[in-house]
């Protein structure tokens, strides 16, 4: 029995429909493509609001922590000859400096960046920082009677505490790597290496990420650990028994890590890219990130912290230049791989 | 002479579509590997010869390599032991529900092992709250890592073991049972005959295990795969990461070469649709008890994580908002997985048809090699392969996640289709060639129905694994798109455990619905054949 041609055509069309749908072109002129490593829960509402206000369609690619910072940065480097992205919005700074060095970024001096202190922007306009986070020590108040006494990164070496009750994320990746490089820059390679060797000798638990440190301290598996302000305040917000201390406030200070934004070199939509960069660097967006609980160290002078989880007034940051930190990354990576991966 | 030439011409015309499919397969699956090899060789020739030292794992890296191999070996042996004993119990059981139980456990093979780890962490935390913090320490380090890996891989092990047992000729078992006890039959007939399936399953689990760093790093077990990612992260050089990965790849290649013969044997047996256990077996008491115990462990490993997902993310108050918020990602993930499985079929079938009558090891090896490639390197090399300015076409870029998933999972479809081709009577195809001159009608009216169970199973496996893929998809996903797995990992960092569990549940339900759909279609499809066999 012959199958009617009409039935064949319908069958073929049904088969092709999803293919046609998948191959539907998403590109257009009035749009901007942004690659971001800022958590989707924080970045998505901001980008949606920009889309509503500007009428420019925003197409986003989100990074995930599980990719161990090998995700979007490597994608941007691989795409260099034929860039797809217009804007890079990074949750930290070091990978932005990597992209600048590789020639992936374009210079754009946003007028919104003028009020940003010089330390948080590139002198040649390749990137600008805002909405900072800081390294903090998160302490479980059920396990530590007087949580204020845990106030230095050297408390992680304190032999009064079982190393199994102290935690940190793997220092080869993410903001923990930036922190490690900053210690290399501030203390010098010898002292910094000794510090990390001391952590291993003390048996400090090295876990998969800052969010894991937060969860383990919050549920009492760890007594305290070092993490970022957004993670720490997340535990505080959900009512976990935790206290948050900025480390070494009368000594080296804590590391403040700004969120950074940059335009991609030869971006397909340069005009829209600049509009989005201006928007992201505005005090209004920084305020939104502060209110959402992502940032606790605003860079714009007129943005105040409303979150009561931690007081960031008069916080002492590490007096160190980010390019200096970046310079110590290779040495730090080599050392810490020897110390931590064995 | 003329008729011979005509016949040859006819045969070669018949072979053209297969070789076209093979070329497509080679381009998508082997292209990334060859391109990375070329880029690495180019870098070495241009003065980066010092990179060669990355090839020799010594000192610390040798230790990491041995950690990886040790972890992979123990996890695969334990998973295969559990899977084999569980499969024997189900296979020899007279219960009507044994098949249902198998189909309940098998879809879990496609669930990312990271989700198992999360669920077991949640379980360990609850237990430690009840019994004290010491109990949570059991799920740390090597013991915790092995427990989660074995839990994640045992459904796959069960599937391979089941496939091996179903391949055993019931006549051999019947004749052995006349002169030996059931336990002796198990040891002397069933065990040796199921070795190809056991080795194949164990080898594939070993490869999956040594390429994963996610679960080991959750349990603070340092493995070589993490060193590769540390290198990639520190240098942003895929060539360096590739060189560093080569010792692991070479080891994996060695395993693949060793597996070729068992795989060929596994796929070369005919399944006989006759039950091997018309009279239920009588196992010694300790064997029956061991079987029960292992059955319980398998069920606990499968059910407890699922129950955790349901409890933590399955309440309507949590589940429905998560489902609504993630509907775009869910829709896109299902679309991608469906297209990947659809595209994989013609290419995998072509490759399987070429391999089915050939024993050329190199061809077999090249076809299965991608199983040993780390996911993110597949993604990066896909960018190299398709991001050439002359190839900048939107439709091509939109298809890249499909190419990446095809590159990772098409070899699994080849394996399944090989098995199906071996099990289908070649005389039926010969008869079709004689009596049905139209190529299209022959393929759609005779070939497709004959191969339908294998085609559906291959499509189902590719679909389920594609749904959970992260490493390669992340590198090539078009702007504005996101998959459900990417959303899960993004929320994981944020710490929204309820949302993560809810979205994982959506993933599990999608996988189960696909498996249920495929099982139903296969059952309905095979009903007329079973009736025909019964009547004859």
């Amino acid at each position: 029995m012959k199958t009617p041609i009409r039935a064949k055509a319908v069958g073929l069309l049904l088969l092709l429909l999803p293919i046609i749908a998948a191959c539907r072109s998403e590109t257009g002129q009035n749009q901007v493509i942004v690659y971001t490593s800022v958590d989707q829960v924080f970045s998505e509402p901001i980008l949606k609001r920009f889309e509503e206000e500007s009428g420019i369609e925003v197409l986003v690619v989100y990074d995930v922590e599980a990719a161990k910072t090998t995700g979007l940065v490597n994608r941007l480097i691989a795409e260099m000859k034929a860039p797809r992205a217009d804007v890079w919005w990074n949750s930290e700074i070091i990978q932005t400096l990597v992209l600048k060095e590789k020639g992936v970024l374009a210079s754009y001096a946003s007028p919104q960046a003028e009020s940003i202190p010089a330390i948080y922007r590139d002198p040649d306009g390749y990137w600008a920082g805002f909405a900072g986070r800081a390294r903090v020590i998160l302490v479980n108040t059920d396990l530590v009677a007087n949580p204020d006494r845990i106030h230095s990164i050297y408390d992680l070496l304190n032999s009064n505490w079982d190393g199994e009750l102290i935690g940190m994320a793997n220092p080869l990746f993410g903001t923990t790597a930036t922190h490690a490089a900053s210690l290399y820059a501030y203390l010098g390679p010898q002292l910094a290496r000794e510090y990390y060797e001391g952590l291993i000798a003390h048996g400090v638990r090295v876990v998969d990420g800052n969010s894991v440190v937060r969860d383990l301290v919050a549920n009492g598996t760890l007594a305290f650990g070092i993490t970022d302000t957004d993670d720490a305040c997340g535990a505080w917000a959900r009512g976990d028994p935790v206290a948050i201390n900025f480390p070494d406030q009368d000594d080296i200070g804590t590391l403040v890590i700004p969120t950074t934004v940059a335009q991609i070199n030869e971006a397909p939509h340069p005009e829209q890219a600049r509009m989005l960069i201006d928007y992201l660097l505005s005090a209004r967006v920084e305020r939104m990130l502060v209110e959402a609980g992502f940032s606790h160290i605003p860079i714009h002078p007129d943005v105040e912290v409303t979150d009561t989880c931690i007081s960031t007034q008069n916080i002492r940051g590490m007096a160190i230049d980010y390019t200096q930190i970046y310079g110590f990354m290779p040495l730090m990576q080599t050392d810490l791989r020897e110390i931590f991966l064995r | 002479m003329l008729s011979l030439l005509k016949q040859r011409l006819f045969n070669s015309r018949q072979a053209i579509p297969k070789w076209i499919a093979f070329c497509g397969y080679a381009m998508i699956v082997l292209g990334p590997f060859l391109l990375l090899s070329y880029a690495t060789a180019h870098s070495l020739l241009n003065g980066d010869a010092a990179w060669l030292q990355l090839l020799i794992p010594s000192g610390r890296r040798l230790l990491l390599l041995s950690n990886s191999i040790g972890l992979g070996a123990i996890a695969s042996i334990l998973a295969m032991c559990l899977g084999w004993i569980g499969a024997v119990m189900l296979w020899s059981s007279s219960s009507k529900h044994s098949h249902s139980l198998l189909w309940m456990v098998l879809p879990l093979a496609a669930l990312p092992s990271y989700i198992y780890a999360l669920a077991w962490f949640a379980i360990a935390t609850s237990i430690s709250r009840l019994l004290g913090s010491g109990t949570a320490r059991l799920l740390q380090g090597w013991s915790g890592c092995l427990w989660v890996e074995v839990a994640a891989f045992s459904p796959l092990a069960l599937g391979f073991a089941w496939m091996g047992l179903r391949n055993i000729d019931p006549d051999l078992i019947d004749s052995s049972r006349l002169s030996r006890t059931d336990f002796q039959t198990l040891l002397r007939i069933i065990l040796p005959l199921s070795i190809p399936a056991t080795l194949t399953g164990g080898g594939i689990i070993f490869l999956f295990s040594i390429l994963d760093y996610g679960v080991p790093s959750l349990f603070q077990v340092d493995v070589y795969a993490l060193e590769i990612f540390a290198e990639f992260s520190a240098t942003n050089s895929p060539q360096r990461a590739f060189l560093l990965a080569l010792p692991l790849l070479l080891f994996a290649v060695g395993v693949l070469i060793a597996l070729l013969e068992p795989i060929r044997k596994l796929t070369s047996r005919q399944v006989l649709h006759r039950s091997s256990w018309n009279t239920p077996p009588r196992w010694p008491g300790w064997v029956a008890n061991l079987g029960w115990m292992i059955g319980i462990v398998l069920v606990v490993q499968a059910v407890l994580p699922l129950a955790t997902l349901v409890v933590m993310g399955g309440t309507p108050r949590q589940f429905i908002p998560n489902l609504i918020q993630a509907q775009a990602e869910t829709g896109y993930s299902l679309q991608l997985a469906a297209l990947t499985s659809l595209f994989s079929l013609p290419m995998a079938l072509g490759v399987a048809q070429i391999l089915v009558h050939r024993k050329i090891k190199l061809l077999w090896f090249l076809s299965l090699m991608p199983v040993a490639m780390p996911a993110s390197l597949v993604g990066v090399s896909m960018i190299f392969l398709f991001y050439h300015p002359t190839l900048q076409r939107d439709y091509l870029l939109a298809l890249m996640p499909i190419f990446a998933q095809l590159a990772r999972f098409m070899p699994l479809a080849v394996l399944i289709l090989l098995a199906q081709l071996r099990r289908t009577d070649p005389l039926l195809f010969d008869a079709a060639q004689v009596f049905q001159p139209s190529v299209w009608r022959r393929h759609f009216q005779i070939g497709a129905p004959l191969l339908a169970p294998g085609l559906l199973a291959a499509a189902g496996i590719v679909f389920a694994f594609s749904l959970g893929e992260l490493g390669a998809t992340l590198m090539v996903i078009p702007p504005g798109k996101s998959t459900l797995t990417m959303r899960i990992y993004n929320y994981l960092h944020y710490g929204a455990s309820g949302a993560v569990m809810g979205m994982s549940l959506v993933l599990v339900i999608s996988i189960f619905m696909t498996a249920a759909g495929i099982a139903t279609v296969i059952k309905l499809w095979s009903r007329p054949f079973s009736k025909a066999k019964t009547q004859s």
Side-chain angles (χ1 to χ4, degrees):
Chain A
M1 192 180 77
K2 284 189 178 180
T3 314
I5 287 182
R6 197 183 297 168
K8 279 184 191 170
V10 169
L12 197 65
L13 193 67
L14 283 175
L15 201 69
L16 286 175
L17 267 179
I19 300 170
I20 294 162
C23 302
R24 190 167 52 92
S25 171
E26 293 281 357
T27 54
Q29 279 312 302
N30 198 26
Q31 65 179 199
V32 61
I33 296 171
V34 52
Y35 288 7
T36 180
S37 63
V38 176
D39 285 350
Q40 189 173 355
V41 277
F42 299 116
S43 53
E44 195 173 35
I46 288 168
L47 294 170
K48 277 202 172 141
R49 187 171 290 191
F50 171 76
E51 196 172 53
E52 285 163 14
E53 290 176 9
S54 66
I56 297 170
E57 187 188 14
V58 181
L59 301 177
V60 197
V61 180
Y62 298 100
D63 208 349
V64 296
E65 196 181 57
K68 302 274 182 211
T69 60
T70 59
L72 290 186
V73 172
N74 283 308
R75 179 169 169 170
L76 282 166
I77 294 168
E79 289 176 356
M80 236 172 89
K81 284 182 186 164
R84 294 275 295 158
D86 300 301
V87 174
W88 166 238
W89 183 15
N90 185 9
S91 62
E92 52 87 63
I93 183 164
I94 295 298
Q95 296 297 331
T96 305
L97 297 178
V98 170
L99 292 177
K100 184 195 166 190
E101 192 185 274
K102 298 266 182 191
V104 174
L105 305 181
S107 169
Y108 169 57
S110 166
Q112 296 286 348
E114 283 169 9
S115 60
I116 291 173
I119 187 176
Y120 295 118
R121 59 188 155 96
D122 184 70
D124 301 319
Y126 281 93
W127 56 267
F130 65 110
R133 295 177 295 158
R135 298 293 287 168
V136 287
I137 298 177
L138 186 67
V139 188
N140 184 299
T141 50
D142 287 345
L143 297 176
V144 181
N146 183 7
D148 288 348
R149 68 193 158 118
I150 311 291
H151 53 68
S152 167
I153 57 164
Y154 288 99
D155 285 322
L156 275 74
L157 297 173
N158 190 335
S159 56
N160 292 332
W161 288 99
D162 180 0
E164 273 286 298
L165 291 173
I166 305 167
M168 66 182 292
N170 193 325
L172 293 169
F173 306 107
T175 51
T176 318
T178 312
H179 194 192
S182 73
L183 291 179
Y184 265 70
Y186 193 91
L187 301 171
Q190 183 62 33
L191 285 177
R193 190 185 163 103
E194 280 171 17
Y195 174 72
Y196 282 100
E197 281 172 341
L199 291 178
I200 286 290
H202 188 35
V204 167
R205 281 187 67 180
V206 180
V207 300
D208 200 38
N210 289 311
S211 56
V212 182
V213 173
R214 171 200 61 205
D215 293 339
L216 293 179
V217 171
N219 70 24
T221 308
L222 297 175
F224 60 93
I226 194 153
T227 184
D228 295 335
T229 39
D230 60 321
D231 290 311
C233 286
W236 179 86
R238 64 189 187 202
D240 293 327
V242 292
I244 303 163
N245 299 331
F246 283 112
D248 304 300
Q249 287 304 286
D250 42 10
D251 189 7
I252 58 178
T254 190
L255 177 70
V256 174
I257 302 160
T259 299
T260 48
V261 65
Q263 186 183 332
I264 301 299
N265 196 21
E266 293 181 37
H269 312 95
E271 201 180 312
Q272 289 87 344
R274 286 173 190 154
M275 284 173 74
L276 177 59
I277 290 170
D278 292 346
Y279 178 78
L280 290 174
L281 288 174
S282 68
R284 189 158 70 103
V285 166
E286 189 169 56
R287 197 170 291 117
M288 283 160 72
L289 285 167
V290 167
E291 284 167 3
F294 174 76
S295 168
H296 292 83
I297 322 282
I299 307 295
H300 283 283
D302 53 340
V303 177
E304 287 178 4
V305 179
T306 48
D307 199 335
T308 50
C309 101
I310 188 167
S311 167
T312 53
Q313 279 184 339
N314 306 320
I315 169 187
R316 181 180 179 149
M318 282 173 91
I320 198 151
D321 186 48
Y322 292 109
T323 46
Q324 232 181 315
I325 297 175
Y326 176 61
F328 276 95
M329 284 297 277
L331 178 62
M332 178 279 290
Q333 288 272 5
T334 310
D335 273 5
L336 297 198
R337 270 161 74 175
E338 281 174 17
I339 298 169
F340 284 87
L341 267 182
R342 56 185 177 185
Chain B
M1 184 70 185
L2 193 66
S3 63
L4 193 70
L5 268 175
K6 266 186 179 174
Q7 183 60 40
R8 283 203 171 169
L9 191 66
F10 177 75
N11 285 344
S12 55
R13 275 177 61 191
Q14 292 287 308
I16 289 172
K18 294 176 200 170
W19 284 102
I20 290 174
F22 188 83
C23 290
Y25 180 91
M27 199 182 86
I28 291 172
V29 169
L30 289 175
F33 173 75
L34 294 176
L35 201 75
L36 254 182
S37 307
Y38 168 76
T40 309
H42 190 259
S43 297
L44 287 172
L45 290 172
N46 281 302
D48 293 321
W51 288 10
L52 279 174
Q53 61 181 346
L54 292 167
L55 276 173
I56 305 151
S58 57
R60 187 182 59 83
R61 277 196 272 128
L62 191 62
L63 202 67
L64 288 174
L65 191 63
S66 62
N67 275 359
S68 287
I69 293 167
L71 183 70
I74 299 171
S76 56
I77 289 168
L78 286 177
M80 267 334 288
C81 285
L82 283 181
W84 190 80
I85 296 171
V88 168
M89 290 297 147
L90 286 176
W91 174 61
S92 60
S93 164
S94 55
S95 166
K96 286 178 183 172
H97 302 296
S98 60
H99 271 73
S100 313
L101 197 64
L102 181 81
W103 277 101
M104 272 172 65
V105 176
L106 276 185
L108 293 170
L111 205 60
S113 48
Y114 211 87
I115 290 175
Y116 278 94
L118 287 178
W120 278 108
F121 267 129
I123 293 165
T125 307
S126 306
I127 293 172
S128 67
R129 275 184 191 147
L130 285 172
L131 305 174
S133 61
T135 46
R137 291 191 183 182
L138 286 174
L139 208 69
Q140 282 174 16
W142 277 73
S143 58
C145 186
L146 277 170
W147 176 258
V148 169
E149 287 209 348
V150 169
F153 293 133
S154 50
L156 197 64
L158 187 75
F160 272 102
W162 176 267
M163 200 166 28
L165 294 170
R166 290 267 294 160
N167 279 1
I168 298 172
D169 187 345
D171 289 340
L172 288 173
I173 296 171
D174 288 346
S175 52
S176 170
R177 290 179 84 189
L178 291 174
S179 55
R180 293 188 179 101
T181 65
D182 287 338
F183 186 55
Q184 284 170 333
T185 302
L186 180 72
L187 290 184
R188 293 186 188 177
I189 305 294
I190 297 167
L191 180 62
L193 287 175
S194 60
I195 277 177
T198 313
L199 283 178
T200 307
I204 286 174
I205 290 170
F206 176 79
L207 290 178
F208 282 167
S209 172
I210 60 170
L211 293 174
D212 175 46
Y213 63 83
V215 173
S217 68
L218 270 179
F219 292 96
Q220 294 176 268
V221 175
D222 293 331
V223 289
Y224 199 80
L226 191 63
E227 172 77 358
I228 298 169
F229 280 87
E231 179 70 31
F232 200 8
S233 173
T235 62
N236 304 103
S237 161
Q239 291 95 322
R240 277 186 69 94
F242 180 64
L243 274 177
L244 194 68
L246 268 180
L248 194 68
L249 276 176
L250 286 175
F251 193 85
V253 163
V255 173
L256 260 181
I257 289 171
L259 284 178
L260 290 180
E261 198 52 28
I263 290 173
R264 217 181 54 76
K265 276 187 184 164
L266 173 68
T267 55
S268 65
R269 297 226 175 97
Q270 293 249 343
V271 161
L272 300 163
H273 294 273
R274 190 156 64 78
S275 170
S276 303
W277 300 97
N278 291 323
T279 315
R282 283 186 194 166
W283 306 121
W286 70 271
V287 174
N289 290 337
L290 182 72
W292 273 108
M293 273 171 57
I294 285 174
I296 290 167
V297 169
L298 279 174
V299 170
V300 164
Q301 281 180 331
V303 170
L304 261 188
L306 280 185
T308 310
L309 294 185
V310 173
V311 169
M312 291 185 69
T315 57
R317 212 171 165 186
Q318 280 183 316
F319 184 71
I320 292 168
N322 280 324
L323 190 66
I324 293 167
Q325 279 169 15
Q327 62 178 337
E329 287 88 348
T330 309
Y332 183 64
S333 301
L334 292 172
Q335 195 181 35
L336 270 187
L339 285 170
T340 305
S341 58
L342 194 68
F343 283 167
S344 73
L345 292 182
M347 283 185 275
L349 184 61
V351 174
Q353 281 174 332
I354 286 171
L355 291 182
V356 75
H357 299 304
R358 285 173 178 81
K359 289 185 181 175
I360 307 165
K361 282 196 171 174
L362 181 68
L363 213 55
W364 274 78
F365 168 71
L366 286 176
S367 306
L368 302 177
M369 166 72 198
V371 180
M373 277 279 279
S376 63
L377 287 186
V378 172
V380 167
S381 41
M382 278 282 165
I383 295 177
F384 282 150
L385 192 63
F386 291 103
Y387 270 43
H388 195 273
T390 51
L391 292 174
Q392 285 277 301
R393 301 284 180 272
D394 286 335
Y395 63 88
L396 199 59
L397 299 174
L399 290 174
M400 287 214 13
I402 299 170
F403 290 151
Q405 292 176 356
L406 283 172
R408 295 215 59 213
F409 304 123
M410 216 160 25
L412 298 177
V414 170
L415 275 181
I416 294 166
L417 287 168
L418 260 171
Q420 180 65 43
L421 280 170
R422 296 272 189 187
R423 287 161 194 185
T424 310
D425 189 348
L427 288 175
L428 293 170
F429 290 110
D430 292 345
Q433 267 193 359
V434 174
F435 296 111
Q436 180 52 272
S438 160
V439 176
W440 289 104
R441 279 175 188 276
R442 196 158 62 233
H443 280 309
F444 286 105
Q445 292 179 344
I446 300 161
L450 280 173
L451 297 175
L455 288 169
L456 283 167
I461 291 281
V462 174
F463 179 89
F465 275 93
S466 300
L467 264 187
E469 213 286 328
L470 176 78
T473 311
L474 176 71
M475 302 299 281
V476 293
I477 193 107
K481 302 282 190 188
S482 180
T483 65
L484 187 60
T485 310
M486 285 168 68
R487 192 178 173 96
I488 289 172
Y489 278 93
N490 216 307
Y491 274 69
L492 200 64
H493 177 221
Y494 175 59
S497 51
V500 168
M501 295 293 180
M503 285 186 284
S504 302
L505 199 61
V506 176
L507 194 70
V508 173
I509 290 169
S510 308
I511 291 169
F512 268 96
M513 281 174 67
T514 313
I518 286 168
T520 310
V521 173
I522 290 177
K523 203 170 181 179
L524 290 174
W525 206 293
S526 46
R527 195 173 282 169
F529 293 99
S530 310
K531 273 186 188 169
K533 273 175 191 156
T534 315
Q535 282 164 6
S536 66

